[in-house]
Amino acid sequence: MRIAVDAMGGDHAPRETVRGAVAAAKDLDGLSRVILVGDEKAINMELARCGGSCDKIDIHHASEVVEMDESPALAIRRKKDSSIGRAVDLVKKGEADAVVSAGNTGAVVVAATLKLRTLEGIERPAIAAIMPTKDRPFVLVDAGANMDCSPKLISQFAIMGSVYSRVIMGQENPIVGLLSIGGEDIKGNEITKESFGLLSELDLNFRGNIEGHDLFEGETDVVVCDGFVGNVVLKTSESIAHAIGHWLKQEFTRNLVRKLGAGLLSGALRTMKHRLDPEMYGGAPLLGVKGVCIITHGASSYRAIFHAIRVAAESVHHHLNQVIVSETGKMGRLQ
């Protein structure tokens, strides 16, 4: 199994991407190659910091980098030798089985969509974000790839998210919910109301509409919506998590008594931090393209890269795309 890693993507690249790739190459069974794509000189310097090269690590030189603030479409079109573009090219040419990037999300989506194309029966790819709850994580799809969606697209997102939840996350019969402003089927805009009807006809474990306050109850495995709403949910959730972390630190360090109390609670706080840590979930898969593509946060550490490579390898091993095509094919009304 061969995983291409955009070594130059992310706020801490190439140091953290190379470090995470080396850890994955050494510790993950089933990996035959990890291909680091980017500036060869910079990658070799980071490999030296990691204690030298690993026999499972290859380098594929790319002279350009897509910056985080660049226009995705323009960057992919103009920067033919970008690390993102070349990493996706390796999958297209069959030289890698999956690609991992912490770079410009839009550029990864554009490159994967244009170069790899979509799976049979899928009109557009969608970003699936893994979100923690009090019981078990859920899949939020679409989390930002498609701003305007038809009911047909939302239904395809539901199928892909359900397959991912079952195949990769181990939920035997994933519960699917449609994000709306009320639980009744008459609530929402015209798109959500039409989507409700179509989802009700599909062979999915569809529970109906769910509201924002239902998201983190742990009763839904797949939450579907358009990419505009999904990205707002994702970014708002990240902001709240950061705010709560700041408030806890502020209050626990306010005086000596509270510091002592924080010390007694340190084990519980570490456990909570671990449960809320997005890096453990392995990034966000771009579902629906011909090839496994995992997008990680721009601020990813080496642990996030490690787990992204792990999830990419699991997706290849479990034939995720073949299952998506099969499940979509069964839903004849979506063809």
Side-chain angles (χ1 to χ4, degrees), residues 36-59:
L36 293 169
V37 184
D39 183 275
E40 186 173 9
K41 181 178 179 181
I43 292 171
N44 276 320
M45 288 178 61
E46 297 306 328
L47 285 172
R49 287 193 177 98
C50 293
S53 186
C54 168
D55 59 4
K56 291 185 178 180
I57 296 284
D58 290 334
I59 300 174

Side-chain angles (χ1 to χ4, degrees), residues 213-226:
H213 60 70
D214 298 315
L215 286 174
F216 301 101
E217 291 299 311
E219 298 176 355
T220 309
D221 301 303
V222 181
V223 176
V224 290
C225 56
D226 63 53

Side-chain angles (χ1 to χ4, degrees), residues 167-217:
V167 172
I168 303 302
M169 301 181 67
Q171 294 300 325
E172 184 175 347
N173 188 24
I175 300 169
V176 178
L178 174 64
L179 189 58
S180 188
I181 59 170
E184 303 86 354
D185 59 357
I186 60 172
K187 294 290 183 71
N189 56 28
E190 290 305 312
I191 298 297
T192 55
K193 285 187 280 189
E194 289 181 38
S195 298
F196 187 104
L198 186 50
L199 287 167
S200 299
E201 297 175 2
L202 298 179
D203 186 20
L204 294 171
N205 189 8
F206 180 52
R207 66 170 287 188
N209 285 347
I210 65 168
E211 300 180 74
H213 60 70
D214 298 315
L215 286 174
F216 301 101
E217 291 299 311

Side-chain angles (χ1 to χ4, degrees), residues 117-169:
R117 302 296 181 181
T118 57
L119 295 169
E120 180 182 353
I122 300 297
E123 292 186 11
R124 296 183 195 170
I127 296 172
I130 315 304
M131 309 279 284
T133 74
K134 64 182 183 182
D135 293 321
R136 61 185 187 269
F138 71 89
V139 181
L140 175 69
V141 57
D142 179 19
N146 305 279
M147 297 302 103
D148 299 297
C149 298
S150 66
K152 182 178 178 181
L153 280 178
I154 289 175
S155 298
Q156 291 176 359
F157 299 164
I159 294 169
M160 294 192 294
S162 184
V163 169
Y164 189 84
S165 179
R166 186 175 78 247
V167 172
I168 303 302
M169 301 181 67

Side-chain angles (χ1 to χ4, degrees), residues 198-270:
L198 186 50
L199 287 167
S200 299
E201 297 175 2
L202 298 179
D203 186 20
L204 294 171
N205 189 8
F206 180 52
R207 66 170 287 188
N209 285 347
I210 65 168
E211 300 180 74
H213 60 70
D214 298 315
L215 286 174
F216 301 101
E217 291 299 311
E219 298 176 355
T220 309
D221 301 303
V222 181
V223 176
V224 290
C225 56
D226 63 53
F228 182 90
V229 172
N231 197 256
V232 170
V233 169
L234 177 63
K235 298 296 175 60
T236 302
S237 301
E238 290 176 346
S239 176
I240 291 172
H242 289 151
I244 290 174
H246 172 76
W247 295 333
L248 285 173
K249 184 176 180 180
Q250 189 177 56
E251 293 304 321
F252 278 137
T253 58
R254 193 172 292 279
N255 55 51
L256 180 59
V257 173
R258 291 190 178 185
K259 288 180 181 179
L260 292 172
L264 295 174
L265 292 171
S266 60
L269 292 172
R270 279 195 300 270

Side-chain angles (χ1 to χ4, degrees), residues 40-98:
E40 186 173 9
K41 181 178 179 181
I43 292 171
N44 276 320
M45 288 178 61
E46 297 306 328
L47 285 172
R49 287 193 177 98
C50 293
S53 186
C54 168
D55 59 4
K56 291 185 178 180
I57 296 284
D58 290 334
I59 300 174
H60 186 95
H61 180 70
S63 61
E64 297 175 300
V65 178
V66 176
E67 303 297 340
M68 291 296 194
D69 59 352
E70 287 191 74
S71 165
L74 286 176
I76 293 302
R77 187 162 65 246
R78 293 176 178 176
K79 291 186 171 181
K80 303 295 185 182
D81 198 37
S82 70
S83 57
I84 288 176
R86 293 306 186 198
V88 174
D89 282 337
L90 291 175
V91 177
K92 180 181 179 180
K93 292 186 290 186
E95 296 176 19
D97 301 299

